[in-house]
Amino acid sequence: QKEVEQNSGPLSVPEGAIASLNCTYSDRGSQSFFWYRQYSGKSPELIMFIYSNGDKEDGRFTAQLNKASQYVSLLIRDSQPSDSATYLCAVRVETYKYIFGTGTRLKVLA
Amino acid sequence: GAVVSQHPSWVICKSGTSVKIECRSLDFQATTMFWYRQFPKQSLMLMATSNEGSKATYEQGVEKDKFLINHASLTLSTLTVTSAHPEDSSFYICSGKGVTYNEQFFGPGTRLTVL
């Protein structure tokens, strides 16, 4: 069974620090990887996606992909209290099939 | 990113009634739409995947006769919860994916409460 695993947290970081969120996946053939943010009571919103090994930066966010280790991470620099949310990792395993992790809850302490 | 809307944003109904939720892609053609359910403090659960003009593919354990999905156009999909019961109370979220996109874009969700 194809799986995506995340630590449920909560991950607590002080304001201004770097938050590091991790995700592992089981399907070695996966090609596309996504990070979504979900605030309590709201639906997920896309933060960024990554397809190639290495780093991809977008503002304060950096996604890192290591296909050999089947590992995706999201770094949030200069964390703010408004970043406190649940972060969902998603992997596209087939054309119309995505597997979501259960999410990591991040708390940024003011 | 692309925009997906849902209507209604919340609904309260009596047990035994049917409820229809609409999901629209506003600025792109959603060739594929997904329907999810999320209970409080739990993760997203995929209910079904539908491609425009085709029958929906339901996940294991989801009753297709209870959760009717129609994806008749490239911008509209509907989920009808038939004969709703209190255990169907949940947050229902749709998402859309277009041909030119690799990612899904989520609607704002519909909170269903069945009394």
Side-chain angles (χ1 to χ4, degrees), chain A residues 31-32 34 36 38 41-46 49 51 88 92 95-98 100-103, chain B residues 32 34 36 38 43-44 46 49 51 59 91 93 97 101-109 111:
Chain A
Q31 294 296 319
S32 309
F34 309 87
Y36 288 85
Q38 186 176 22
K42 303 293 186 182
S43 67
E45 57 179 321
L46 180 69
F49 54 83
Y51 307 145
L88 304 173
R92 185 180 178 189
T95 304
Y96 304 116
K97 190 162 183 74
Y98 299 72
F100 280 80
T102 54
Chain B
T32 305
F34 304 87
Y36 295 86
Q38 189 173 38
S43 58
L44 283 176
L46 178 65
T49 301
N51 291 302
E59 295 298 301
F91 191 40
I93 312 171
K97 176 193 170 306
Y101 293 109
N102 206 357
E103 59 271 38
Q104 300 177 42
F105 297 96
F106 285 87
R111 194 161 301 282

Side-chain angles (χ1 to χ4, degrees), chain B residues 52-103:
Chain B
E52 185 264 338
S54 302
K55 287 186 178 180
T57 300
Y58 289 80
E59 295 298 301
Q60 194 172 7
V62 178
E63 301 173 59
K64 60 180 68 175
D65 294 331
K66 182 171 181 62
F67 299 99
L68 303 178
I69 292 171
N70 184 287
H71 189 175
S73 79
L74 287 171
T75 59
L76 174 64
S77 177
T78 60
L79 166 68
T80 301
V81 183
T82 62
S83 186
H85 290 286
E87 58 266 29
D88 298 322
S89 298
S90 188
F91 191 40
Y92 291 86
I93 312 171
C94 72
S95 71
K97 176 193 170 306
V99 171
T100 57
Y101 293 109
N102 206 357
E103 59 271 38

Side-chain angles (χ1 to χ4, degrees), chain A residues 17-53:
Chain A
I18 296 175
S20 177
L21 304 159
N22 304 315
C23 170
T24 59
Y25 60 95
S26 63
D27 184 2
R28 191 171 284 280
S30 302
Q31 294 296 319
S32 309
F33 308 87
F34 309 87
W35 282 101
Y36 288 85
R37 175 175 61 196
Q38 186 176 22
Y39 291 110
S40 181
K42 303 293 186 182
S43 67
E45 57 179 321
L46 180 69
I47 297 174
M48 62 191 305
F49 54 83
I50 186 167
Y51 307 145
S52 304
N53 273 329

Side-chain angles (χ1 to χ4, degrees), chain A residues 77-93:
Chain A
R77 287 182 299 283
D78 189 24
S79 295
Q80 301 297 309
S82 58
D83 294 325
S84 298
T86 296
Y87 289 79
L88 304 173
C89 171
V91 177
R92 185 180 178 189
V93 298

